[in-house]
Amino acid sequence: MRLIKDFSTSAVTAGFVAVLIGFTSSAVIVFQAAQALHASPAEIASWMCALGVGMGLTSIALSLRFRVPVLTAWSTPGAAMLITSAAGVSMPEAIGAFLVSAALITVSGFSGLFERMISRIPISIASGMLAGVLLRFGLDAFLAMQSQFVLVFPMFCAYLLGRRLLPRYAIIMTFLVGVGIAAGQGSLRVDEIHLELAMPVFITPELSWQALIGVALPLYVVTMASQNLPGVAVIRASGYQLPISPLIGWTGAANLLLAPFGAYALNLAAITAAICMSREAHEDPEKRYVAAIAAGFFYLLIGVFGATVGSLFLAFPKELV
């Protein structure tokens, strides 16, 4: 089987790092979005379950289908939008809005409309968009040094050393150094970690004009412009040529099936996808798809143990994240 033949430790590591960064950098925003809709703890766990399963299955299926590292993600700007615009909207109305947004994404994908629009964007502009997305994450490391220099500076040095000696495992080295220092400082809140499976909670959707105008349409626009467009930019900047329409269409279809359980928006990943498409994942570009498949399995684990994984990452100091 080709997948077994192409398997590599570096690809699995890249997949793990992609999931680690994607989850720790924005999971709190998803939690806040659910809380803004007055979700119960069981419903929040269901959100994480639906999102994890959706991202996992689409990443695995699309990467196997095209033999290209296709990584999907939840819409972080979409979650941030929900925090501020969902006031006065009930959970069933929000679920209805998620369904409408997912339907619009599905139609935009399978109809080819989105691909025709982005085909007019030069690759240099797409690459510049990717650089703009990544810049903030690089600068945030230095901002974190202001509040936790003892923790972050050794992590920074470990990263530079790792890039020099073992570039494929630089992030893992950095992460382990950070966890070790945080443990020594006593800043790991391990008492907050509880082993618990996430159970999907079906919420019957309701449609309202307020939710359609205030949630569905903004969620669709934000997801397409702030997530799918940079996601396509990453694919093209990495040198991969594949049809974009089915990628958008199938993420929308998966979103449509899982929306009643809390999957508010699924889309192409950008920052984390760049990790799976980098040379650190594998020297051979044709074997980097294994990294996205590995990430898909890690996302499935997050879905199954959504409540536990959430408490795990919330136990880390924010500077480490």
Side-chain angles (χ1 to χ4, degrees):
M1 186 177 179
R2 181 179 171 182
L3 178 60
I4 298 176
K5 182 181 178 181
D6 293 343
F7 178 87
S8 66
T9 304
S10 60
V12 174
T13 300
F16 172 76
V17 171
V19 172
L20 177 71
I21 292 176
F23 190 87
T24 56
S25 63
S26 59
V28 173
I29 300 176
V30 177
F31 293 154
Q32 290 175 332
Q35 290 171 344
L37 291 166
H38 307 290
S40 66
E43 289 172 338
I44 293 176
S46 178
W47 278 43
M48 300 310 299
C49 178
L51 290 167
V53 169
M55 294 185 295
L57 292 180
T58 51
S59 296
I60 294 170
L62 293 173
S63 296
L64 281 174
R65 169 64 180 84
F66 295 102
R67 300 292 174 177
V68 166
V70 179
L71 194 64
T72 58
W74 57 49
S75 175
T76 302
M81 185 274 297
L82 289 175
I83 296 173
T84 58
S85 65
V89 175
S90 68
M91 179 64 79
E93 290 175 334
I95 295 297
F98 298 166
L99 284 169
V100 172
S101 174
L104 291 173
I105 293 173
T106 305
V107 171
S108 297
F110 287 132
S111 68
L113 175 63
F114 180 71
E115 187 166 11
R116 289 194 295 271
M117 291 172 57
I118 63 173
S119 64
R120 302 178 181 274
I121 301 177
I123 186 65
S124 56
I125 294 180
S127 299
M129 291 174 60
L130 172 60
V133 171
L134 294 173
L135 178 63
R136 180 178 63 84
F137 283 81
L139 296 178
D140 280 351
F142 296 95
L143 292 176
M145 288 185 194
Q146 297 179 6
S147 57
Q148 267 281 21
F149 184 83
V150 176
L151 171 66
V152 181
F153 185 70
M155 293 176 66
F156 178 65
C157 294
Y159 172 76
L160 294 180
L161 186 63
R163 288 289 297 175
R164 177 67 176 175
L165 302 178
L166 295 168
R168 293 184 184 178
Y169 307 101
I171 297 295
I172 290 292
M173 291 173 57
T174 306
F175 175 66
L176 293 177
V177 168
V179 170
I181 295 175
Q185 292 178 329
S187 56
L188 288 179
R189 301 183 292 275
V190 294
D191 57 314
E192 299 181 6
I193 302 175
H194 305 285
L195 183 61
E196 185 179 354
L197 293 175
M199 298 299 294
V201 177
F202 182 86
I203 300 174
T204 304
E206 295 180 5
L207 296 179
S208 71
W209 286 111
Q210 179 184 359
L212 289 176
I213 297 174
V215 177
L217 293 181
L219 182 60
Y220 165 73
V221 172
V222 165
T223 300
M224 297 299 284
S226 299
Q227 295 284 153
N228 280 327
L229 193 56
V232 173
V234 171
I235 293 173
R236 292 183 170 178
S238 300
Y240 291 104
Q241 300 295 326
L242 72 165
I244 301 301
S245 293
L247 303 185
I248 303 298
W250 283 115
T251 55
N255 190 178
L256 199 59
L257 291 174
L258 294 168
F261 302 97
Y264 64 94
L266 296 174
N267 46 250
L268 296 179
I271 298 168
T272 50
I275 296 172
C276 294
M277 296 180 185
S278 68
R279 293 185 61 183
E280 284 70 31
H282 202 284
E283 288 292 337
D284 186 352
E286 295 186 358
K287 296 182 179 181
R288 294 172 189 169
Y289 73 96
V290 177
I293 292 175
F297 280 106
F298 288 124
Y299 273 132
L300 287 176
L301 284 176
I302 287 179
V304 174
F305 295 96
T308 300
V309 176
S311 63
L312 172 64
F313 287 117
L314 290 176
F316 292 157
K318 64 177 182 178
E319 291 84 5
L320 188 151
V321 174

